Amino acid sequence: MPFAIYALAIAAFAIGSAEFVISGLLPLLAGDLSVSIPVAGLLVTAYAAGVAIGGPLLTILTSRYSQRTVLIGVMALFTVAQVLCAIAPDYGLLLVARLLSSIAHGAFFGAGNIVVANLVPPERRGRAFSLFISGITIANLLGLPGGSAIGLNFGWRTTFLTVALLGAIATVVLILRIPNTRAPGERSATLLAQARELRHQKVWLSYLTITFVMVGTLAFGTYQVPIMEEVTGIAPGIVPIYLLIGGLGSVLGIYLGGRGTDWKPMPTLITVLLLQALFFFTMLFAMHDQVWMTVNLLITSILGFAFSTPLQARVITAAQAAPNLASSLISTAFNIGIAAGAATGAALIAAGVSYADIPIVGVISSLLAAGTATISWLLERSEQASATTQA
């Protein structure tokens, strides 16, 4: 793989660390800034909104520039935002700084996907995308516990300064290693022409598939700790080991998803989604036994990340005149699903649904995602058959 992709993975690790670490710092932040835990939790909600809305808007505003310029610019913005988080004197300014960071996040992955696609031939894009995305996956595995440990021992402001240092290093690496590329057709495409590209069924049905998957994943993932403690009977001190197992599964899932994308992307995607529905169903029974819960958690973590690469590659390939805008909206689809999944889980629990029944949401949403992906694939094959007949 070109070293530029490793440079992008380093930057993705820094951005992912900033996104995930906040959950481990909420009690410290709430106490220091004199706000409640739920109010501090709005820092997570605001970040998701910033990625979903601000990222595409920044992409539109920077569409006249090359991906290299955009990547370096948004990483510089990200780094400054982390410094502002570290020195924020009150909750309001910290919230603004988090919003700046999230906007940079959304624009970064939009431009980064295009650079990756341009650096390797089509038959190697799956593995290239998986390497790039692994940066944010490893951030979930290492950045979250590492940043939380720094915050507990040296204060939450030190955590943000550490992430700012990572961002500065990533910015320098990008300056040295990222080529000056631009997606084919992007230079001359007007905003209206770019918007038209989003109407292709392969694009918007891929967004819908992503959203469906994330609803089920987050409905369970948001409450996986109380599920482990109250349903499976795992001691609180052992829970981090289970979370680590899930993190390892996510890394493996990204790798397998990349290989599957280079092999047969749509059969891989649909198989992964159907298996995900199956193992959310088996979790309804496995969660009552610690050994089977371990196995089921590992498999669902693998499947929960293996679906991403085929869909991202599909969007970028389909949106030929607007791959940058289409790519930035991938993060929007993810974050809409994240917000909807967390809200769905909260609403069900508030209505009296047991923790033990929450995986049902994953079963339904995975089946909806598999159905959506299948429809998109059938439409694609029909379009190809029609084009062949006309030729």
Side-chain angles (χ1 to χ4, degrees):
M1 288 293 163
F3 187 79
I5 298 179
Y6 291 93
L8 288 167
I10 293 170
F13 175 78
I15 289 178
S17 296
E19 178 182 15
F20 297 132
V21 77
I22 194 71
S23 62
L25 301 177
L26 285 183
L28 297 173
L29 286 167
D32 194 31
L33 300 176
S34 300
V35 297
S36 67
I37 292 289
V39 170
L42 291 176
L43 294 168
V44 178
T45 305
Y47 194 97
V51 174
I53 301 172
L57 289 176
L58 183 58
T59 297
I60 292 171
L61 293 173
T62 57
S63 60
R64 70 180 65 182
Y65 304 106
S66 69
Q67 276 79 30
R68 181 179 189 274
T69 301
V70 172
L71 284 169
I72 294 171
V74 297
M75 278 308 298
L77 174 62
F78 167 83
T79 302
V80 171
Q82 302 316 303
V83 174
L84 292 176
C85 287
I87 64 176
D90 56 44
Y91 174 81
L93 291 178
L94 177 59
L95 183 62
V96 171
R98 287 285 293 174
L99 281 171
L100 286 175
S101 178
S102 66
I103 292 170
H105 175 142
F108 170 82
F109 281 97
N113 280 327
I114 304 308
V115 171
V116 171
N118 290 339
L119 284 173
V120 296
E123 64 272 13
R124 298 180 62 198
R125 283 180 182 169
R127 277 168 285 181
F129 279 129
S130 66
L131 174 58
F132 173 39
I133 301 169
S134 70
I136 199 167
T137 310
I138 294 173
N140 187 31
L141 180 64
L142 301 178
L144 171 57
S148 300
I150 292 172
L152 289 170
N153 288 281
F154 303 102
W156 61 269
R157 296 182 187 275
T158 305
T159 298
F160 283 115
L161 287 175
T162 303
V163 176
L165 178 60
L166 287 174
I169 294 171
T171 303
V172 172
V173 175
L174 291 178
I175 291 172
L176 295 175
R177 290 294 184 174
I178 295 298
N180 195 11
T181 62
R182 177 177 287 274
E186 190 95 20
R187 183 182 298 275
S188 59
T190 64
L191 180 58
L192 182 60
Q194 293 182 52
R196 288 197 189 101
E197 289 294 298
L198 305 182
R199 297 184 304 176
H200 195 289
Q201 63 87 7
K202 289 171 64 176
V203 177
W204 66 267
L205 285 180
S206 292
Y207 294 151
L208 188 58
T209 302
I210 290 170
T211 301
F212 279 142
V213 174
M214 296 312 295
V215 168
T217 300
L218 266 293
F220 170 76
T222 303
Y223 300 98
Q224 62 180 324
V225 172
I227 287 172
M228 291 178 194
E229 293 178 355
E230 298 184 23
V231 180
T232 312
I234 298 170
I238 305 299
V239 167
I241 297 177
Y242 282 75
L243 296 178
L244 179 62
I245 291 171
L248 291 172
S250 67
V251 174
L252 183 57
I254 287 291
Y255 170 77
L256 293 176
R259 297 304 294 259
T261 301
D262 289 337
W263 176 55
K264 292 184 178 180
M266 290 309 291
T268 294
L269 172 63
I270 294 168
T271 300
V272 165
L273 295 176
L274 290 174
L275 287 174
Q276 189 176 46
L278 172 63
F279 280 94
F280 268 125
F281 177 74
T282 60
M283 185 172 286
L284 293 167
F285 309 96
M287 68 170 63
H288 298 283
D289 180 89
Q290 294 187 12
V291 174
W292 285 112
M293 180 60 170
T294 304
V295 175
N296 216 108
L297 182 64
L298 175 64
I299 295 173
T300 52
S301 297
I302 292 172
L303 297 171
F305 281 80
F307 85 95
S308 175
T309 303
L311 282 170
Q312 294 197 55
R314 186 171 178 80
V315 168
I316 293 168
T317 301
Q320 296 180 2
N324 216 0
L325 177 59
S327 179
S328 69
L329 287 171
I330 292 173
S331 294
T332 298
F334 269 103
N335 281 274
I336 290 173
I338 288 169
T344 299
L348 289 174
I349 292 171
V353 175
S354 168
Y355 283 132
D357 295 326
I358 291 297
I360 292 175
V361 180
V363 175
I364 296 171
S365 65
S366 296
L367 289 175
L368 287 172
T372 304
T374 301
I375 291 171
S376 180
W377 190 31
L378 292 175
L379 289 173
E380 178 188 4
R381 296 181 68 178
S382 177
E383 292 167 359
Q384 292 173 345
S386 177
T388 301
T389 301
Q390 293 176 0

Short mmCIF file of all heavy atoms in Angstrom, two decimals, residues 19 29 43 56 59 62 119-120 186 252 262 283 302 323 336 352:
data_model
loop_
_atom_site.label_atom_id
_atom_site.label_comp_id
_atom_site.label_asym_id
_atom_site.label_seq_id
_atom_site.Cartn_x
_atom_site.Cartn_y
_atom_site.Cartn_z
N GLU A 19 -13.19 11.70 19.01
CA GLU A 19 -14.61 11.39 19.05
C GLU A 19 -14.96 10.46 20.21
O GLU A 19 -15.92 10.71 20.95
CB GLU A 19 -15.03 10.72 17.73
CG GLU A 19 -16.50 10.31 17.72
CD GLU A 19 -16.93 9.61 16.46
OE1 GLU A 19 -16.04 9.18 15.69
OE2 GLU A 19 -18.15 9.48 16.22
N LEU A 29 -15.48 15.93 33.34
CA LEU A 29 -15.93 17.19 32.75
C LEU A 29 -17.10 17.77 33.53
O LEU A 29 -17.14 18.97 33.83
CB LEU A 29 -16.38 16.95 31.30
CG LEU A 29 -15.28 16.72 30.26
CD1 LEU A 29 -15.89 16.19 28.97
CD2 LEU A 29 -14.56 18.02 29.99
N LEU A 43 -22.32 16.91 24.72
CA LEU A 43 -21.08 17.04 23.94
C LEU A 43 -20.98 15.91 22.91
O LEU A 43 -20.39 16.10 21.84
CB LEU A 43 -19.87 17.01 24.88
CG LEU A 43 -19.73 18.20 25.85
CD1 LEU A 43 -18.66 17.90 26.89
CD2 LEU A 43 -19.41 19.47 25.10
N PRO A 56 -20.62 17.85 5.52
CA PRO A 56 -20.99 18.09 4.11
C PRO A 56 -20.97 19.56 3.71
O PRO A 56 -20.60 19.90 2.58
CB PRO A 56 -22.41 17.51 4.03
CG PRO A 56 -22.45 16.47 5.10
CD PRO A 56 -21.61 17.03 6.22
N THR A 59 -17.50 20.53 3.08
CA THR A 59 -17.09 19.90 1.82
C THR A 59 -17.54 20.73 0.63
O THR A 59 -16.78 20.94 -0.33
CB THR A 59 -17.66 18.48 1.72
OG1 THR A 59 -17.13 17.68 2.79
CG2 THR A 59 -17.32 17.84 0.39
N THR A 62 -15.44 23.90 0.28
CA THR A 62 -14.04 23.68 -0.11
C THR A 62 -13.93 22.88 -1.41
O THR A 62 -12.83 22.39 -1.73
CB THR A 62 -13.28 22.95 1.01
OG1 THR A 62 -13.94 21.70 1.30
CG2 THR A 62 -13.24 23.78 2.28
N LEU A 119 -5.42 6.42 -5.16
CA LEU A 119 -4.05 5.96 -4.97
C LEU A 119 -3.84 4.51 -5.39
O LEU A 119 -2.69 4.09 -5.60
CB LEU A 119 -3.64 6.12 -3.50
CG LEU A 119 -3.32 7.55 -3.04
CD1 LEU A 119 -3.09 7.58 -1.53
CD2 LEU A 119 -2.10 8.10 -3.77
N VAL A 120 -4.91 3.73 -5.49
CA VAL A 120 -4.76 2.31 -5.78
C VAL A 120 -5.71 1.92 -6.91
O VAL A 120 -6.72 2.58 -7.14
CB VAL A 120 -5.06 1.43 -4.54
CG1 VAL A 120 -4.04 1.69 -3.44
CG2 VAL A 120 -6.47 1.69 -4.03
N GLU A 186 -14.56 16.27 -10.60
CA GLU A 186 -14.96 17.13 -9.50
C GLU A 186 -14.67 18.60 -9.79
O GLU A 186 -15.40 19.48 -9.37
CB GLU A 186 -14.21 16.70 -8.23
CG GLU A 186 -14.73 17.36 -6.96
CD GLU A 186 -15.74 16.50 -6.23
OE1 GLU A 186 -15.75 15.30 -6.47
OE2 GLU A 186 -16.51 17.05 -5.43
N LEU A 252 -10.76 -6.83 13.18
CA LEU A 252 -10.82 -7.99 12.28
C LEU A 252 -11.91 -7.80 11.24
O LEU A 252 -11.74 -8.15 10.06
CB LEU A 252 -11.07 -9.26 13.09
CG LEU A 252 -11.08 -10.59 12.32
CD1 LEU A 252 -9.77 -10.80 11.58
CD2 LEU A 252 -11.35 -11.75 13.26
N ASP A 262 -12.85 -6.45 -2.32
CA ASP A 262 -12.01 -6.73 -3.49
C ASP A 262 -12.41 -8.02 -4.19
O ASP A 262 -12.07 -8.23 -5.36
CB ASP A 262 -10.53 -6.83 -3.06
CG ASP A 262 -9.95 -5.48 -2.68
OD1 ASP A 262 -10.50 -4.46 -3.13
OD2 ASP A 262 -8.98 -5.44 -1.91
N MET A 283 -27.97 -13.71 20.18
CA MET A 283 -27.57 -13.00 21.39
C MET A 283 -28.69 -12.97 22.43
O MET A 283 -28.44 -12.89 23.63
CB MET A 283 -27.13 -11.57 21.06
CG MET A 283 -26.58 -10.80 22.26
SD MET A 283 -25.86 -9.24 21.82
CE MET A 283 -24.33 -9.77 21.05
N ILE A 302 -17.30 -8.26 14.73
CA ILE A 302 -16.70 -8.46 13.40
C ILE A 302 -17.69 -8.05 12.31
O ILE A 302 -17.37 -7.27 11.41
CB ILE A 302 -16.29 -9.94 13.21
CG1 ILE A 302 -15.12 -10.29 14.15
CG2 ILE A 302 -15.90 -10.21 11.76
CD1 ILE A 302 -14.79 -11.77 14.17
N PRO A 323 -17.81 12.57 -6.04
CA PRO A 323 -17.40 11.59 -5.03
C PRO A 323 -17.06 12.23 -3.69
O PRO A 323 -17.26 11.63 -2.65
CB PRO A 323 -16.16 10.93 -5.66
CG PRO A 323 -15.66 11.93 -6.64
CD PRO A 323 -16.86 12.64 -7.16
N ILE A 336 -26.59 9.71 11.61
CA ILE A 336 -28.04 9.64 11.75
C ILE A 336 -28.44 8.30 12.37
O ILE A 336 -29.28 8.24 13.28
CB ILE A 336 -28.72 9.82 10.38
CG1 ILE A 336 -28.56 11.27 9.90
CG2 ILE A 336 -30.20 9.46 10.46
CD1 ILE A 336 -29.05 11.51 8.49
N GLY A 352 -40.23 0.40 29.36
CA GLY A 352 -40.30 -0.81 30.17
C GLY A 352 -39.76 -2.06 29.51
O GLY A 352 -39.86 -3.16 30.08
#
